Amino acid sequence: MSISVLMSFFLIGIGCSKDDDNAQTNPDPEMIVPLFACENGMAGIYPCNDYDLMGLVDIVTLGGSSAKGNDSWGWTDSSSGKEYALVGTTSGTAFVDISDPTQPIVVGRLPTATSNSPWRDIKVFENYAFIVSEAPGHGMQVFDLTRLRNVANPPQNFTSDARYTEFGTAHNIVINETSGYAYIVGSDTYNGGPHFVNIQNPTSPMAAGGFANSYSHDAQVVSYNGPDLDYAGREIFIGSHENEVVILDVTDKSNPVHISGIGYNNIGYTHQGWFTEGLKYFIVGDEVDELNFGNNTRTLVFDFTDLDNPAFHIEYFGPTKAIDHNGYVNGNLFFQSSYTAGVRIIDVSGLDGGIMTEVGFFDSYPPDSSTSFHGAWNVYPFFESGNLIISDIEGGLFIIRKSGT
Protein backbone atom coordinates (compact mmCIF):
# COMPACT_ATOMS: atom_id res chain seq x y z
CA MET A 1 0.00 0.00 0.00
CA SER A 2 1.53 3.33 -1.04
CA ILE A 3 1.98 6.19 1.43
CA SER A 4 -0.18 8.45 -0.76
CA VAL A 5 -3.07 5.98 -0.66
CA LEU A 6 -2.70 5.54 3.10
CA MET A 7 -2.71 9.31 3.64
CA SER A 8 -5.82 9.73 1.56
CA PHE A 9 -7.60 7.49 4.04
CA PHE A 10 -5.98 9.24 7.02
CA LEU A 11 -7.26 12.62 5.88
CA ILE A 12 -10.88 11.48 5.78
CA GLY A 13 -12.75 12.62 8.86
CA ILE A 14 -10.03 14.65 10.59
CA GLY A 15 -12.74 17.21 11.28
CA CYS A 16 -10.66 19.86 13.07
CA SER A 17 -11.02 22.93 10.86
CA LYS A 18 -14.42 24.30 11.87
CA ASP A 19 -14.31 27.09 14.43
CA ASP A 20 -17.54 25.97 16.10
CA ASP A 21 -16.76 22.25 16.28
CA ASN A 22 -15.59 22.39 19.89
CA ALA A 23 -19.08 23.48 20.93
CA GLN A 24 -20.70 20.26 19.73
CA THR A 25 -22.71 18.22 22.18
CA ASN A 26 -22.38 14.50 22.63
CA PRO A 27 -24.13 12.74 19.74
CA ASP A 28 -26.81 10.11 20.10
CA PRO A 29 -24.87 6.81 19.95
CA GLU A 30 -27.60 5.31 17.78
CA MET A 31 -26.94 7.99 15.15
CA ILE A 32 -23.19 7.38 14.90
CA VAL A 33 -22.09 5.58 11.75
CA PRO A 34 -18.53 4.20 11.63
CA LEU A 35 -16.08 5.74 9.23
CA PHE A 36 -15.39 2.17 8.11
CA ALA A 37 -17.29 -0.81 9.52
CA CYS A 38 -15.37 -4.04 9.90
CA GLU A 39 -16.76 -6.21 7.10
CA ASN A 40 -15.22 -9.40 5.74
CA GLY A 41 -12.10 -8.83 7.78
CA MET A 42 -11.43 -5.26 6.64
CA ALA A 43 -12.36 -1.74 7.77
CA GLY A 44 -11.38 0.28 4.71
CA ILE A 45 -7.69 -0.60 4.25
CA TYR A 46 -7.28 -1.90 7.80
CA PRO A 47 -7.47 -5.61 8.73
CA CYS A 48 -9.92 -6.15 11.59
CA ASN A 49 -12.07 -8.57 13.51
CA ASP A 50 -15.23 -7.27 15.21
CA TYR A 51 -13.92 -3.71 15.69
CA ASP A 52 -14.99 -0.78 13.49
CA LEU A 53 -12.95 2.29 12.61
CA MET A 54 -14.93 5.26 13.92
CA GLY A 55 -12.53 8.08 13.13
CA LEU A 56 -8.88 9.09 12.87
CA VAL A 57 -6.49 12.02 12.95
CA ASP A 58 -3.25 11.76 11.00
CA ILE A 59 0.08 12.25 12.75
CA VAL A 60 0.93 15.47 10.87
CA THR A 61 -2.25 17.11 12.16
CA LEU A 62 -1.45 15.96 15.69
CA GLY A 63 2.20 16.96 15.88
CA GLY A 64 3.58 18.54 12.74
CA SER A 65 5.32 17.49 9.55
CA SER A 66 8.14 15.48 11.15
CA ALA A 67 6.22 14.08 14.12
CA LYS A 68 5.83 10.47 15.15
CA GLY A 69 3.29 9.15 17.61
CA ASN A 70 4.01 7.55 20.98
CA ASP A 71 1.98 7.10 24.14
CA SER A 72 -1.57 8.20 24.91
CA TRP A 73 -4.19 8.37 27.62
CA GLY A 74 -7.79 9.52 28.01
CA TRP A 75 -9.86 12.02 29.96
CA THR A 76 -13.62 12.36 30.39
CA ASP A 77 -14.93 15.80 31.38
CA SER A 78 -17.32 15.12 34.24
CA SER A 79 -19.23 18.35 33.60
CA SER A 80 -20.07 17.62 29.96
CA GLY A 81 -19.38 13.91 29.52
CA LYS A 82 -17.08 14.72 26.61
CA GLU A 83 -14.24 12.31 25.97
CA TYR A 84 -10.77 13.47 25.03
CA ALA A 85 -7.77 11.60 23.68
CA LEU A 86 -4.42 12.85 25.00
CA VAL A 87 -1.86 11.85 22.40
CA GLY A 88 1.91 12.11 22.74
CA THR A 89 4.07 12.94 19.74
CA THR A 90 7.75 13.70 19.29
CA SER A 91 6.97 17.42 19.49
CA GLY A 92 4.46 17.56 22.36
CA THR A 93 0.97 16.51 23.38
CA ALA A 94 -2.23 16.85 21.35
CA PHE A 95 -5.68 17.08 22.94
CA VAL A 96 -8.46 15.65 20.78
CA ASP A 97 -12.20 15.83 21.43
CA ILE A 98 -13.60 12.43 20.44
CA SER A 99 -17.13 12.97 21.79
CA ASP A 100 -18.32 12.31 18.26
CA PRO A 101 -15.75 9.65 17.34
CA THR A 102 -16.51 10.09 13.63
CA GLN A 103 -15.57 13.77 13.80
CA PRO A 104 -12.57 14.08 16.12
CA ILE A 105 -11.43 17.64 16.80
CA VAL A 106 -7.86 18.62 17.66
CA VAL A 107 -8.67 21.17 20.38
CA GLY A 108 -5.06 22.15 21.00
CA ARG A 109 -1.45 21.18 21.55
CA LEU A 110 1.03 21.53 24.41
CA PRO A 111 4.58 21.72 23.02
CA THR A 112 7.40 19.74 24.61
CA ALA A 113 8.98 21.52 27.59
CA THR A 114 12.46 21.41 26.06
CA SER A 115 13.35 19.49 22.89
CA ASN A 116 11.68 16.84 20.74
CA SER A 117 11.83 13.20 21.78
CA PRO A 118 10.45 9.87 20.53
CA TRP A 119 9.32 9.12 24.11
CA ARG A 120 6.53 10.91 25.93
CA ASP A 121 4.07 9.61 28.49
CA ILE A 122 0.83 11.02 29.90
CA LYS A 123 -1.40 10.18 32.85
CA VAL A 124 -4.39 11.96 34.42
CA PHE A 125 -5.36 12.88 37.98
CA GLU A 126 -8.29 15.11 38.98
CA ASN A 127 -8.72 16.88 35.65
CA TYR A 128 -5.00 17.45 35.19
CA ALA A 129 -2.64 15.82 32.71
CA PHE A 130 0.88 14.97 33.89
CA ILE A 131 3.41 14.60 31.10
CA VAL A 132 7.01 13.35 31.09
CA SER A 133 9.53 12.77 28.32
CA GLU A 134 13.02 11.51 27.69
CA ALA A 135 13.85 14.95 26.26
CA PRO A 136 16.78 16.36 28.30
CA GLY A 137 15.70 18.62 31.15
CA HIS A 138 11.99 18.12 30.42
CA GLY A 139 10.73 17.33 33.92
CA MET A 140 6.97 16.92 34.39
CA GLN A 141 4.45 19.22 32.74
CA VAL A 142 1.10 19.77 34.49
CA PHE A 143 -1.85 20.84 32.36
CA ASP A 144 -5.37 21.76 33.49
CA LEU A 145 -7.63 19.78 31.18
CA THR A 146 -10.69 21.90 32.01
CA ARG A 147 -9.11 24.55 29.76
CA LEU A 148 -10.22 22.37 26.84
CA ARG A 149 -13.84 23.35 27.55
CA ASN A 150 -13.48 26.94 26.38
CA VAL A 151 -11.46 26.86 23.17
CA ALA A 152 -13.21 29.12 20.67
CA ASN A 153 -10.98 28.51 17.66
CA PRO A 154 -9.26 25.13 17.74
CA PRO A 155 -6.53 24.12 17.57
CA GLN A 156 -4.98 26.31 20.29
CA ASN A 157 -1.34 26.30 21.36
CA PHE A 158 -1.20 25.88 25.12
CA THR A 159 1.34 26.46 27.85
CA SER A 160 1.57 24.26 30.95
CA ASP A 161 0.02 25.29 34.28
CA ALA A 162 2.98 24.02 36.30
CA ARG A 163 6.25 22.21 35.80
CA TYR A 164 8.11 19.92 38.19
CA THR A 165 11.89 19.81 37.65
CA GLU A 166 13.26 17.58 40.41
CA PHE A 167 14.22 15.22 37.57
CA GLY A 168 15.09 15.91 33.94
CA THR A 169 14.45 12.95 31.68
CA ALA A 170 11.98 10.16 32.40
CA HIS A 171 10.57 7.28 30.43
CA ASN A 172 7.19 6.99 32.06
CA ILE A 173 4.79 8.22 34.72
CA VAL A 174 2.40 6.15 36.82
CA ILE A 175 -0.35 7.62 39.01
CA ASN A 176 -2.30 6.07 41.85
CA GLU A 177 -5.48 8.11 41.70
CA THR A 178 -6.57 6.84 45.12
CA SER A 179 -3.55 8.14 47.01
CA GLY A 180 -2.74 11.16 44.85
CA TYR A 181 0.86 10.17 44.21
CA ALA A 182 2.72 10.03 40.92
CA TYR A 183 5.60 7.62 40.34
CA ILE A 184 8.18 8.74 37.80
CA VAL A 185 10.02 5.74 36.35
CA GLY A 186 13.08 5.45 34.17
CA SER A 187 14.25 8.93 35.17
CA ASP A 188 17.71 10.35 35.75
CA THR A 189 17.16 10.11 39.52
CA TYR A 190 17.21 7.11 41.90
CA ASN A 191 19.15 5.03 39.35
CA GLY A 192 16.01 4.97 37.24
CA GLY A 193 13.93 3.55 40.07
CA PRO A 194 10.59 5.11 41.07
CA HIS A 195 10.69 8.80 41.99
CA PHE A 196 7.72 9.68 44.24
CA VAL A 197 5.78 12.92 43.75
CA ASN A 198 2.84 14.14 45.84
CA ILE A 199 0.30 15.56 43.36
CA GLN A 200 -2.63 15.98 45.75
CA ASN A 201 -2.40 19.67 44.90
CA PRO A 202 -1.86 19.15 41.15
CA THR A 203 -0.33 22.53 40.35
CA SER A 204 2.09 22.33 43.29
CA PRO A 205 3.68 18.88 42.99
CA MET A 206 6.09 18.04 45.80
CA ALA A 207 9.02 15.62 45.89
CA ALA A 208 8.35 12.69 48.23
CA GLY A 209 11.44 10.50 47.93
CA GLY A 210 12.13 7.46 45.80
CA PHE A 211 13.57 3.96 45.64
CA ALA A 212 16.84 3.20 43.89
CA ASN A 213 17.00 -0.58 43.80
CA SER A 214 16.89 -0.97 39.97
CA TYR A 215 15.77 0.77 36.77
CA SER A 216 12.00 0.70 36.33
CA HIS A 217 10.70 0.93 32.77
CA ASP A 218 6.99 0.98 33.57
CA ALA A 219 4.72 0.14 36.50
CA GLN A 220 1.26 -0.04 37.97
CA VAL A 221 0.55 1.23 41.48
CA VAL A 222 -2.61 0.27 43.37
CA SER A 223 -4.16 0.75 46.78
CA TYR A 224 -4.25 -2.96 47.40
CA ASN A 225 -7.48 -4.90 48.00
CA GLY A 226 -6.48 -8.22 46.45
CA PRO A 227 -6.26 -11.79 47.73
CA ASP A 228 -3.11 -11.38 49.87
CA LEU A 229 -4.59 -10.11 53.14
CA ASP A 230 -1.12 -9.37 54.52
CA TYR A 231 -1.07 -6.28 52.32
CA ALA A 232 -4.68 -5.12 52.56
CA GLY A 233 -4.85 -1.34 52.35
CA ARG A 234 -1.17 -0.96 51.45
CA GLU A 235 0.06 0.97 48.42
CA ILE A 236 1.69 -1.61 46.14
CA PHE A 237 4.02 -0.86 43.22
CA ILE A 238 4.43 -3.50 40.49
CA GLY A 239 7.36 -2.58 38.28
CA SER A 240 8.65 -3.96 34.99
CA HIS A 241 12.39 -3.73 35.66
CA GLU A 242 14.01 -4.87 32.41
CA ASN A 243 14.75 -8.47 33.50
CA GLU A 244 12.18 -9.12 36.22
CA VAL A 245 8.87 -8.02 37.71
CA VAL A 246 9.39 -6.25 41.05
CA ILE A 247 6.84 -5.83 43.85
CA LEU A 248 7.32 -2.96 46.32
CA ASP A 249 5.36 -1.64 49.29
CA VAL A 250 5.46 2.14 48.85
CA THR A 251 2.92 3.07 51.52
CA ASP A 252 5.59 4.84 53.58
CA LYS A 253 7.35 7.03 51.03
CA SER A 254 10.27 7.52 53.41
CA ASN A 255 10.75 3.78 53.78
CA PRO A 256 9.70 1.82 50.68
CA VAL A 257 10.06 -1.96 51.08
CA HIS A 258 11.05 -4.54 48.48
CA ILE A 259 8.52 -7.39 48.82
CA SER A 260 9.61 -9.77 46.07
CA GLY A 261 10.59 -10.16 42.43
CA ILE A 262 10.15 -12.78 39.74
CA GLY A 263 11.82 -13.55 36.42
CA TYR A 264 10.92 -16.02 33.66
CA ASN A 265 12.41 -17.98 30.77
CA ASN A 266 13.73 -16.29 27.62
CA ILE A 267 13.81 -12.79 29.03
CA GLY A 268 14.27 -10.15 26.34
CA TYR A 269 13.11 -6.95 28.03
CA THR A 270 10.47 -6.92 30.77
CA HIS A 271 8.47 -3.98 29.48
CA GLN A 272 5.04 -3.39 31.03
CA GLY A 273 2.25 -5.13 32.92
CA TRP A 274 -1.26 -4.76 34.33
CA PHE A 275 -3.39 -6.46 36.98
CA THR A 276 -6.51 -8.40 36.13
CA GLU A 277 -9.72 -7.52 37.93
CA GLY A 278 -9.49 -8.70 41.54
CA LEU A 279 -5.67 -8.36 41.50
CA LYS A 280 -5.04 -12.11 41.35
CA TYR A 281 -3.09 -12.19 38.09
CA PHE A 282 -0.55 -9.80 36.60
CA ILE A 283 -0.18 -9.78 32.80
CA VAL A 284 3.25 -8.83 31.44
CA GLY A 285 4.63 -8.04 28.01
CA ASP A 286 8.26 -8.65 27.08
CA GLU A 287 9.19 -6.21 24.32
CA VAL A 288 12.24 -7.92 22.84
CA ASP A 289 11.64 -11.67 23.11
CA GLU A 290 10.09 -11.81 19.63
CA LEU A 291 13.28 -10.28 18.22
CA ASN A 292 15.70 -12.32 20.32
CA PHE A 293 14.04 -15.73 20.24
CA GLY A 294 11.79 -15.73 17.17
CA ASN A 295 8.56 -16.59 18.97
CA ASN A 296 5.15 -15.20 18.12
CA THR A 297 3.84 -12.35 20.28
CA ARG A 298 4.27 -13.68 23.81
CA THR A 299 2.31 -12.57 26.88
CA LEU A 300 3.23 -13.83 30.35
CA VAL A 301 0.81 -14.21 33.24
CA PHE A 302 1.87 -14.40 36.89
CA ASP A 303 -0.18 -15.52 39.88
CA PHE A 304 0.04 -12.79 42.53
CA THR A 305 -2.20 -14.47 45.11
CA ASP A 306 0.77 -14.29 47.50
CA LEU A 307 2.76 -11.11 46.91
CA ASP A 308 5.70 -12.51 48.85
CA ASN A 309 5.83 -15.53 46.55
CA PRO A 310 4.66 -14.62 43.04
CA ALA A 311 4.47 -17.57 40.66
CA PHE A 312 4.54 -18.02 36.90
CA HIS A 313 1.07 -19.05 35.69
CA ILE A 314 0.92 -19.32 31.88
CA GLU A 315 2.26 -17.80 28.68
CA TYR A 316 0.08 -16.93 25.72
CA PHE A 317 1.25 -16.70 22.11
CA GLY A 318 -0.56 -14.48 19.61
CA PRO A 319 -1.18 -15.25 15.94
CA THR A 320 1.64 -13.07 14.54
CA LYS A 321 5.31 -12.35 15.18
CA ALA A 322 4.64 -8.70 16.01
CA ILE A 323 6.24 -7.12 19.09
CA ASP A 324 3.87 -6.48 21.98
CA HIS A 325 4.06 -3.12 23.73
CA ASN A 326 1.50 -1.75 26.24
CA GLY A 327 -1.47 -3.73 27.54
CA TYR A 328 -4.37 -2.97 29.90
CA VAL A 329 -7.23 -4.93 31.44
CA ASN A 330 -10.81 -3.71 31.52
CA GLY A 331 -13.27 -6.25 32.87
CA ASN A 332 -12.55 -9.65 31.34
CA LEU A 333 -10.70 -8.23 28.34
CA PHE A 334 -7.00 -7.55 27.87
CA PHE A 335 -6.29 -4.83 25.30
CA GLN A 336 -2.79 -5.22 23.88
CA SER A 337 -1.02 -2.82 21.53
CA SER A 338 1.19 -4.96 19.32
CA TYR A 339 3.03 -2.55 17.05
CA THR A 340 2.65 -3.86 13.46
CA ALA A 341 -0.27 -6.15 14.40
CA GLY A 342 -2.29 -3.24 15.79
CA VAL A 343 -4.44 -3.78 18.88
CA ARG A 344 -5.44 -7.28 19.93
CA ILE A 345 -8.39 -7.89 22.25
CA ILE A 346 -7.99 -11.02 24.38
CA ASP A 347 -10.55 -12.63 26.70
CA VAL A 348 -8.89 -13.41 30.07
CA SER A 349 -11.97 -14.71 31.89
CA GLY A 350 -10.55 -18.24 31.66
CA LEU A 351 -7.22 -17.54 33.34
CA ASP A 352 -7.98 -19.81 36.30
CA GLY A 353 -8.02 -22.63 33.77
CA GLY A 354 -5.01 -21.30 31.89
CA ILE A 355 -7.02 -20.01 28.92
CA MET A 356 -6.62 -16.75 26.97
CA THR A 357 -8.58 -16.30 23.73
CA GLU A 358 -8.29 -13.55 21.16
CA VAL A 359 -11.79 -12.22 20.43
CA GLY A 360 -11.03 -9.25 18.18
CA PHE A 361 -8.42 -6.95 16.72
CA PHE A 362 -7.86 -3.80 14.71
CA ASP A 363 -4.65 -3.49 12.72
CA SER A 364 -3.69 0.19 12.40
CA TYR A 365 -0.54 -0.71 10.42
CA PRO A 366 -1.69 -2.40 7.18
CA PRO A 367 1.67 -2.99 5.42
CA ASP A 368 2.66 -6.08 7.45
CA SER A 369 2.81 -7.72 10.89
CA SER A 370 6.57 -8.00 11.01
CA THR A 371 8.78 -8.08 14.09
CA SER A 372 9.60 -4.37 13.96
CA PHE A 373 8.92 -1.10 15.73
CA HIS A 374 6.12 0.38 13.62
CA GLY A 375 2.42 0.82 14.22
CA ALA A 376 0.39 0.74 17.44
CA TRP A 377 2.30 2.14 20.43
CA ASN A 378 -0.59 2.31 22.90
CA VAL A 379 -4.27 1.61 23.42
CA TYR A 380 -6.56 3.28 25.98
CA PRO A 381 -9.61 1.10 26.74
CA PHE A 382 -11.24 2.90 29.71
CA PHE A 383 -13.83 5.24 28.16
CA GLU A 384 -17.35 4.43 29.37
CA SER A 385 -18.72 4.94 25.86
CA GLY A 386 -16.82 1.94 24.53
CA ASN A 387 -14.59 4.11 22.34
CA LEU A 388 -11.02 2.80 22.20
CA ILE A 389 -8.14 4.99 21.12
CA ILE A 390 -4.95 3.79 19.47
CA SER A 391 -1.87 5.97 19.21
CA ASP A 392 0.08 4.78 16.18
CA ILE A 393 3.67 5.81 15.46
CA GLU A 394 3.12 6.51 11.77
CA GLY A 395 -0.67 6.72 11.58
CA GLY A 396 -1.62 9.05 14.42
CA LEU A 397 -4.84 8.65 16.40
CA PHE A 398 -7.36 5.89 15.62
CA ILE A 399 -10.75 5.68 17.33
CA ILE A 400 -12.29 2.23 17.17
CA ARG A 401 -15.29 0.54 18.74
CA LYS A 402 -16.61 -2.99 19.00
CA SER A 403 -18.86 -3.71 16.02
CA GLY A 404 -22.57 -3.37 16.70
CA THR A 405 -22.18 -1.29 19.87
Side-chain angles (χ1 to χ4, degrees), residues 71 97 110 125 128 177 205 231 315 335 386:
D71 224 319
D97 181 346
L110 177 65
F125 174 69
Y128 287 84
E177 296 184 47
Y231 293 96
E315 57 185 6
F335 298 83

Side-chain angles (χ1 to χ4, degrees), residues 193-207:
H195 175 131
F196 311 147
V197 186
N198 183 331
I199 58 169
Q200 293 165 7
N201 182 350
T203 55
S204 298
M206 297 185 297

Side-chain angles (χ1 to χ4, degrees), residues 120-147:
R120 194 171 310 280
D121 194 76
I122 311 150
K123 296 296 187 299
V124 170
F125 174 69
E126 290 192 349
N127 296 331
Y128 287 84
F130 297 82
I131 304 161
V132 303
S133 174
E134 289 200 16
H138 186 280
M140 179 178 72
Q141 295 172 305
V142 183
F143 178 77
D144 182 353
L145 292 165
T146 64
R147 294 166 63 187

Side-chain angles (χ1 to χ4, degrees), residues 66-67 80 84 96 104 111 129 148 154 184 200 226 243 318 320-321 331 363:
S66 61
S80 66
Y84 294 84
V96 186
L148 303 179
I184 313 303
Q200 293 165 7
N243 59 8
T320 77
K321 291 189 176 296
D363 189 351

Side-chain angles (χ1 to χ4, degrees), residues 8 17 38 46 80 106 124 130-131 140 171 193 195 197 202 209 214 227 244 246 293 296 318 364 372 377 381 390 402:
S8 70
S17 60
C38 182
Y46 302 101
S80 66
V106 179
V124 170
F130 297 82
I131 304 161
M140 179 178 72
H171 184 74
H195 175 131
V197 186
S214 61
E244 65 174 337
V246 170
F293 305 106
N296 278 15
S364 57
S372 60
W377 182 294
I390 304 168
K402 182 174 171 59

